[in-house]
Amino acid sequence: MASPLLTAEEQRVFDDRLAEILSHYPSDRKSAAMLPALHLLQSMKGWLPPDGMEMVAHKLEVSPERAYEVATFYVMFHIRKPGKYVVDVCTNLSCSLWGAEDLLAYLEQKLGVTAGESNGTWTLREAECLASCGTAPCLQVNEVHHENLRSRAAVDAVFARLKPAS
Amino acid sequence: MPLAAEKIITRNWGRPDSWTLDAYKGTGGYATLEKVLGMQPAQIIDEVKKSNLRGRGGAGFPTGMKWSFVPKDSPKPKYLAVNADESEPGTFKDRYILENDPHMLLEGIAIASFGLGVHTAYVYVRGEFRFQAERLQKAIDEAYRAGIFGKKLLGRDFALDCYVVRGAGAYICGEETGMLESLEGKKGWPRLKPPFPAVVGLFGCPTVVNNVETLAAVPAILQKGADWFAKLGPDKSGGTRMVCLSGSVNRPGVFKVMLSTTVRELIESPDFGQGMPPGRKVKAVIPGGSSAPVMTADELDVALEFEALKQIQNMAGSGGVIVMDDATCLVRSLWRVSRFYAEESCGQCTPCREGTPWMTRVLRKLEEGRGEEGDIETLLNVAQSIAPYPPMGLGQTICALGDAAALPVHSFVVKFRQEFEDHIRLGKCPFGDKPWGHYGAMTA
Ligand SMILES: Cc1cc2nc3c(=O)[nH]c(=O)nc-3n(C[C@H](O)[C@H](O)[C@H](O)COP(=O)(O)O)c2cc1C
Ligand code: SF4
Ligand code: FES
C-alpha cells in the first residue's frame, strides 16, 4: 500500500498552521490561502505530490485543478520530486556580466548534472534575477542564498558546507 | 564634492541589530507614528501629496495622488498591498530595506494605513526572499507585541493587522494586478485596467499598492515635513532615491543619490561606482531595470530622475542601472534580457505571448552566427507590434510586461545596429567565447 501523504502528527501540524493562515483572510476567501498552503505542504514534503495538491484543494474548498493550476504557474513549486538539493543559478544580465555562464558550466561539471535536469541529489536550474545583482553572481540552494560567487574556490566553499546527501 | 545624498531610508543601516524594534526605537523610530495619530487622516494624505513622493516600484506614480483615489465612503474594507516582489532585473534595493530596517517599512505601513482607513495590510514578498520574509515576520511579531499592530494602534481605537505573503517565483506577480491575483491565491494573471486597484483591488475592494521603498520613505516625510522632502528633489519629484548599480563597474551596489545625480556620476564617482574596469569604457547602460530602453555612452549626462529620463524617451523605472563595457556583446546581452521576458510572459495577450519567444529565437540565431538579411527588420517589427517606440506610448497589451519586452529590443537594435549587422556579416559573434566584458569570466 502506498504510504499516506502525511502522518497523523504531520497532518495535525499542517491543519494547525493552515488554520492560522486562514485567519489572515476574510472568512469567505479561503482559497486566497493557496500559495501559503502549498508552501507549507512543500516545506513538509519537499515537493507537491498529486494527493497533496488534492488535500490542499479540499481544505480550501476549491477543485484540485485550481491547486494544480497555481502549482504549475510558479517556478518554486515542485510538482515532480526534485533532487535533495535544488540549485537555482541566476544567469540574468547583471550576473552574466560577472561570470554567471561560467558558474553554471562549472556547476554542471562539478555536480554531474545538466542545467534543467535532476539526478537524485541535485536539481540544477537557471534562475531569473534574484535581486542580488550588486553581489553577482549568485545562486540559491534550497532557498538559501549565496552571493559573490566569482571564483571556483568561492563556489567550492558553499558546496563543502552542505550536508552530504544521505 | 562628495555626491552622497542625505540618508533617509538608509540612516540605520550598519547599526548593530538595526532590524530590531529596540534599535529602531533607539533612533526615534515609531515616534512619527505616535505623532500622526493626532492628525486627521486627510492631513496625512495631503502631506504625502505635497512631498512630491513618487512611487519607487517602477512607474513613478505620485503616491499622494494614488492615495487620494481611494473612495472615502466605500462600505467595503480597504486594503494596503505592499509590493516586495522585487524581480525587475537589475533591482536589489527592497531586499536591503527588508534586511536592514524592516521597522521603517512597518512604520510607513502603519502611517499609510491610518491615513487611508486600512485595517489589513499584506506584504507580498517574492518567494526567493525567504530570509527577508522571515526577518520581516520577526519584526511584525515584535510590532504586535509592542501594541503597534493588533486590535489597537498604539492604544487608539484603530485595529491594524499586517501579514506576510510569500510569492513563489513569478516576475509577473510584481505587476500590481498580477500581485493582487496572487494574493487571492491564483496564478498571477494581470487584470485589465480600469478599474484601477484603488477602486477595485484585492477581493474586489479598494486597495493601495505601493512599493517597499515608497512606504519606507513615509515616516521621514511625516517627521520632517513635506516641504523638506519636496525640496530635496526637482520640481515634480521629492526626496532622494536608491539606485542599484550593477554590471561592469568597479563597485556595484545600492547607493542613495540626489535626484540630480547623473548616470555618469553614478558610474564614476568615488562615492558610488568608482569607475569602469581598467582599460574599459562604457558601451551601453540600462538606467531603470531591464525593462527600460538602453542608452549609449553619449547619453550618460542625464539625471537619474523620472522627468529627465522621460525627456530622452527613457525611464527611471525601478532604479536598476546596469552597465555594459566595450568588451561586452550586446546581441548576447539582449538575447538574455529577451529570454527573461519570454520566460515570464503570462501568456494572456497574443502579441506578448507570441512576440517574446519570437524575438528571443531571432536573437539566438544572430548570436549563434546563423543570422540572415531581414532578421533585424523582423526584430524591429515584432517589437513594434507589441509596443510602439519611440515615442514611448501605451502598449497593446493588458499589462506593461509587453512594453518592457519590446523597449529593450527596439532600443538596442536601433542604437547599436552596427553590432547586430556585424553578427550577420561575420556569421559569428565578434566577441567569440568572451561575450560578457571585463568581469564576465569566472576565476580560479
Ligand atoms: C511586469 C511588471 C513587474 C513589476 N514588478 C514590480 C516589482 O517587483 N516591485 C514593485 O514594487 N513594482 C513592480 N511593478 C510596478 C507595480 O505594477 C506598481 O506600479 C508598483 O508596485 C506601485 O507602487 P509604487 O507606486 O509605490 O511604485 C511591476 C510592473 C510591471 C508591469
Ligand atoms: S502583456 Fe504579457 S505578461 Fe502582461 S498580461 Fe499580457 S501576456 Fe501577460
Ligand atoms: S541578475 Fe542575477 S541577481 Fe540580478
Side-chain angles (χ1 to χ4, degrees), chain A residues 24 74 91 94 98 101 131, chain B residues 95 122 186 246-247 332 336:
Chain A
H24 302 173
Y74 298 91
T91 57
S94 303
W98 282 81
E101 281 193 0
Chain B
R95 154 191 295 269
Y122 295 98
K186 303 180 215 155
S246 68
R332 179 71 147 243
R336 185 61 188 87

Side-chain angles (χ1 to χ4, degrees), chain A residues 20 23-26 29 31-36 39 66 69-70 73-77 90-94 96-103 106 126-135 140 142-145 147 149-155, chain B residues 79 86 88-92 95-96 122 124 126-130 163 165-170 172-173 182-189 203 246-247 249 252 286 322-324 328 332-333 336-337 339-340 343-344 436 439-444:
Chain A
E20 153 70 19
S23 74
H24 302 173
Y25 299 101
R29 293 283 182 169
S31 62
M34 183 63 81
L35 271 79
H39 270 303
R66 251 301 282 292
E69 178 184 71
V70 171
F73 186 80
Y74 298 91
V75 295
M76 288 178 68
F77 290 136
C90 174
T91 57
N92 210 310
L93 183 56
S94 303
S96 282
L97 289 164
W98 282 81
E101 281 193 0
D102 284 0
L103 170 61
Y106 179 60
E126 271 187 83
E128 295 303 346
C129 177
L130 294 168
S132 184
C133 331
T135 44
Q140 302 202 327
N142 290 352
E143 299 180 15
V144 177
H145 191 71
E147 57 195 12
L149 302 175
R150 291 223 54 217
S151 65
R152 284 183 278 279
V155 178
Chain B
Y79 293 103
E86 190 153 71
E88 172 75 15
T91 315
F92 47 99
R95 154 191 295 269
Y96 296 114
Y122 295 98
Y124 187 89
R126 68 175 292 178
E128 294 85 349
F129 280 2
R130 190 170 89 181
Y163 305 115
V165 179
R166 286 180 69 201
I172 197 59
C173 294
S182 188
L183 279 170
E184 291 184 2
K186 303 180 215 155
K187 60 186 175 187
W189 271 16
F203 307 132
S246 68
V249 288
I286 296 173
I322 308 171
V323 182
M324 286 152 274
T328 310
R332 179 71 147 243
S333 301
R336 185 61 188 87
V337 169
R339 185 146 70 88
F340 167 74
E343 169 71 27
E344 300 296 339
W436 291 114
Y439 289 118
M442 201 178 197
T443 57

Side-chain angles (χ1 to χ4, degrees), chain B residues 172 190 344-349 352-353 397-402:
Chain B
I172 197 59
E344 300 296 339
S345 167
C346 83
Q348 279 188 100
C349 321
C352 176
R353 182 186 62 239
T397 48
I398 293 175
C399 90
L401 188 143

Side-chain angles (χ1 to χ4, degrees), chain B residues 49-68:
Chain B
K49 247 191 212 161
K50 278 196 292 187
S51 76
N52 288 343
L53 172 64
R54 295 178 62 164
R56 303 303 199 228
F61 196 84
T63 306
M65 199 193 295
K66 187 186 279 188
W67 291 8
S68 67

Side-chain angles (χ1 to χ4, degrees), chain B residues 54-61 63 66 83-88 94 171-177 193 209-212 214 399-401 404:
Chain B
R54 295 178 62 164
R56 303 303 199 228
F61 196 84
T63 306
K66 187 186 279 188
N83 196 337
D85 195 59
E86 190 153 71
S87 308
E88 172 75 15
D94 300 337
Y171 168 63
I172 197 59
C173 294
E175 196 279 337
E176 54 186 3
T177 58
K193 290 177 273 190
V209 180
N210 273 136
N211 170 260
V212 166
T214 310
C399 90
L401 188 143

